[in-house]
Amino acid sequence: MQKINLEVNGKKISKEVPDHTILSNFLRDHLNLTGTHVGCDTSQCGACVIHVDGKSIKSCSTLAVDVNNSKITTIEGLAKNGEMHPMQEAFKKMHGLQCGFCTPGMVMSAVDLLKNKKNPTDQEIRKWLEGNICRCTGYQNIVAAVKEAASKL
Amino acid sequence: MKTFNYHVAKDSKEASKLSSSNSAFLAGGMTSIPSLKLGLATYKDIIDIKHIKKLSGIKVSNKTVTIGATTKHAEVASSKEVQKAIPSLAKLAGGIGDAQVRNRGTVGGSIANNDPSACYPSACMALNAIIHTNERKIEASKFFKGMFETALKKGELIESVEFQIPEKSNYQKHPNPASRYAIVGVYLAKHKKEVNVAITGAKASVYVDKDISKALSNNFSISAINNMKINSSEMNSDIHASGEYRGSLVLTYTKKAIEAC
């Protein structure tokens, strides 16, 4: 067991976890933050993407102990005072989701993209989202949503 | 997943001391964590080396680019210094996996694992890299021993990789559309005295194609290799590509690399 201290969505957290706890499971099972989804569980699909110290990573391929002393943002941490994040608004407005399973990861990846690049081209959006797989809408509206958010942010 | 004991090492010495015949070093974990989850690997001890400051960073001199073992792919891809000194190396780093993998995965991890379709081993071979460990220096040509096998001994830790800056170079990859691993990757480097064409993805381990390299050392043009026959008998054959197809890709992507130089 290891004691880890984290800041998750602005809240300081201190927990004892078994050494081999996977971060996505820690968020879902220990903190009840089930917005982070686990799809393929082999770091291909991107449903589990969260931010660690401001950078998007796949939480299904990271140990919880490995992010000790980090700041974590999950999909639950994006909305502020009941207002959706502009990326969430844009996904809603542009119909960038259907079943919604991949959406938390898509949104978290896309937020990181706009931090690195303010007005990405379609091609840059598609390249950045290579690690996020959607199996229902196709990607047209997801790309449109990211562009919409870019114009608002 | 089987349990293990997680340790954080302060320096290379401590990392080495903590290691045993049943341990692994952890950097980005982009291969080791999925391997542990799938039960392909089990260890008693996992030794996290990410907090060893000395292992991270990029140094560029007139002749070489030295990248610390735990430097992430995203850092190499976005480094202005690397982009200027060896643009193809920055391009290679920017094409590994996806954005999230590049935010975690490291050069040391990539070469220590020596996946037959990993990108970095080809850069090491083409750019006459020297792998610096906590014990010695190893030339790339003596480092990659076979499928997932390297010259590293138990407890030996990669500290940095020193790449020789070529006159010209280019990396071309035919990626697997899901994983972005190379079905075939060709790293072409033109040095003052020689041309190295290193191939990844095609065989059990990275290699320098001696015939292509020799032909291009004599005449650096597509015409020098136009009629070359590639022996594909030892090439990997799987659902993604047959050995013959990989052989054909080797030549096609070498030509693309020459064009892009």
Side-chain angles (χ1 to χ4, degrees):
Chain A
M1 295 289 272
Q2 304 261 349
K3 189 174 180 189
I4 53 171
N5 299 302
L6 302 164
E7 193 181 309
V8 181
N9 299 330
K11 230 168 86 184
K12 290 217 159 64
I13 280 165
S14 194
K15 287 252 181 196
E16 288 250 331
V17 292
D19 295 22
H20 65 296
T21 309
I22 292 292
L23 182 54
S24 51
N25 296 342
F26 173 72
L27 294 169
R28 291 177 58 82
D29 303 338
H30 296 231
L31 303 183
N32 288 327
L33 293 171
T34 53
T36 298
H37 290 170
V38 177
C40 68
D41 211 12
T42 56
S43 67
Q44 313 254 343
C45 81
C48 68
V49 170
I50 60 162
H51 294 182
V52 174
D53 293 329
K55 289 198 169 138
S56 58
I57 64 132
K58 292 187 167 169
S59 61
C60 82
S61 298
T62 304
L63 297 174
V65 288
D66 198 335
V67 296
N68 189 15
N69 298 319
S70 305
K71 280 187 183 175
I72 288 182
T73 308
T74 67
I75 190 77
E76 290 93 340
L78 284 188
K80 294 273 178 276
N81 307 319
E83 295 270 322
M84 279 196 280
H85 185 279
M87 188 63 75
Q88 292 171 305
E89 281 284 0
F91 267 69
K92 185 182 168 202
K93 184 179 166 194
M94 306 309 284
H95 305 283
L97 65 147
Q98 195 169 317
C99 85
F101 191 86
C102 72
T103 313
M106 285 281 179
V107 169
M108 297 310 285
S109 277
V111 169
D112 191 21
L113 166 65
L114 295 191
K115 269 194 215 158
N116 289 293
K117 194 124 205 161
K118 284 215 158 68
N119 284 300
T121 62
D122 281 26
Q123 211 186 355
E124 284 165 339
I125 295 168
R126 284 175 190 277
K127 176 149 173 57
W128 186 269
L129 294 179
E130 269 178 351
N132 293 86
I133 297 171
C134 165
R135 291 287 89 131
C136 32
T137 69
Y139 298 92
Q140 305 292 354
N141 289 353
I142 290 170
V143 174
V146 179
K147 289 194 97 167
E148 166 75 12
S151 73
K152 296 276 160 64
L153 274 165
Chain B
M1 185 161 66
K2 292 251 173 75
T3 57
F4 50 76
N5 300 310
Y6 171 86
H7 310 268
V8 175
K10 284 191 305 288
D11 50 37
S12 298
K13 219 175 174 180
E14 193 186 16
S16 198
K17 214 172 148 191
L18 285 166
S19 71
S20 68
S21 59
N22 198 2
S23 71
F25 296 126
L26 176 70
M30 291 295 92
T31 300
S32 53
I33 303 289
S35 303
L36 284 165
K37 286 170 68 179
L38 289 167
L40 294 171
T42 53
Y43 301 105
K44 192 170 151 278
D45 297 288
I46 294 281
I47 303 148
D48 194 340
I49 57 166
K50 278 192 297 298
H51 301 276
I52 306 174
K53 286 214 173 80
K54 190 185 151 197
L55 299 189
S56 177
I58 296 167
K59 277 186 215 129
V60 177
S61 72
N62 286 341
K63 291 184 177 163
T64 61
V65 170
T66 304
I67 302 179
T70 62
T71 311
K72 297 177 180 81
H73 305 323
E75 292 166 339
V76 176
S78 63
S79 159
K80 294 270 180 310
E81 280 183 296
V82 178
Q83 284 168 5
K84 201 175 152 210
I86 316 179
S88 56
L89 191 61
K91 180 187 159 193
L92 173 146
I96 295 173
D98 53 52
Q100 286 72 39
V101 168
R102 293 192 289 275
N103 276 340
R104 299 281 293 172
T106 67
V107 59
S110 169
I111 67 170
N113 189 46
N114 193 21
D115 189 295
S117 358
C119 296
Y120 262 122
S122 69
C124 293
M125 294 291 272
L127 300 170
N128 300 323
I130 295 168
I131 289 98
H132 296 253
T133 77
N134 57 338
E135 293 179 19
R136 58 189 167 141
K137 297 175 186 178
I138 312 169
E139 290 168 32
S141 58
K142 292 179 184 146
F143 182 85
F144 301 104
K145 293 281 193 193
M147 189 179 273
F148 296 109
E149 256 187 74
T150 68
L152 289 171
K153 292 179 281 183
K154 261 289 161 201
E156 190 172 10
L157 178 66
I158 300 172
E159 294 194 323
S160 65
V161 187
E162 183 182 356
F163 298 94
Q164 189 184 325
I165 299 175
E167 287 180 353
K168 291 177 183 177
S169 64
N170 192 256
Y171 180 63
Q172 294 286 335
K173 171 165 78 166
H174 188 77
N176 176 312
S179 68
R180 317 286 165 194
Y181 269 102
I183 287 176
V184 164
V186 176
Y187 206 118
L188 169 77
K190 185 179 185 298
H191 297 279
K192 208 168 182 184
K193 289 185 184 154
E194 81 216 328
V195 173
N196 290 336
V197 178
I199 314 290
T200 187
K203 293 189 183 178
S205 181
V206 65
Y207 67 100
V208 166
D209 189 307
K210 295 209 168 95
D211 295 336
I212 299 178
S213 300
K214 198 176 161 199
L216 293 177
S217 295
N218 293 331
N219 173 16
F220 191 72
S221 73
I222 289 175
S223 62
I225 58 164
N226 241 345
N227 299 319
M228 201 164 255
K229 291 265 183 302
I230 301 289
N231 179 357
S232 60
S233 61
E234 285 175 20
M235 290 198 180
N236 304 330
S237 222
D238 52 36
I239 54 162
H240 305 295
S242 66
E244 290 81 1
Y245 185 59
R246 280 189 164 85
S248 161
L249 288 175
V250 165
L251 211 51
T252 304
Y253 279 78
T254 305
K255 288 176 187 171
K256 278 193 182 192
I258 298 168
E259 263 174 0
C261 263

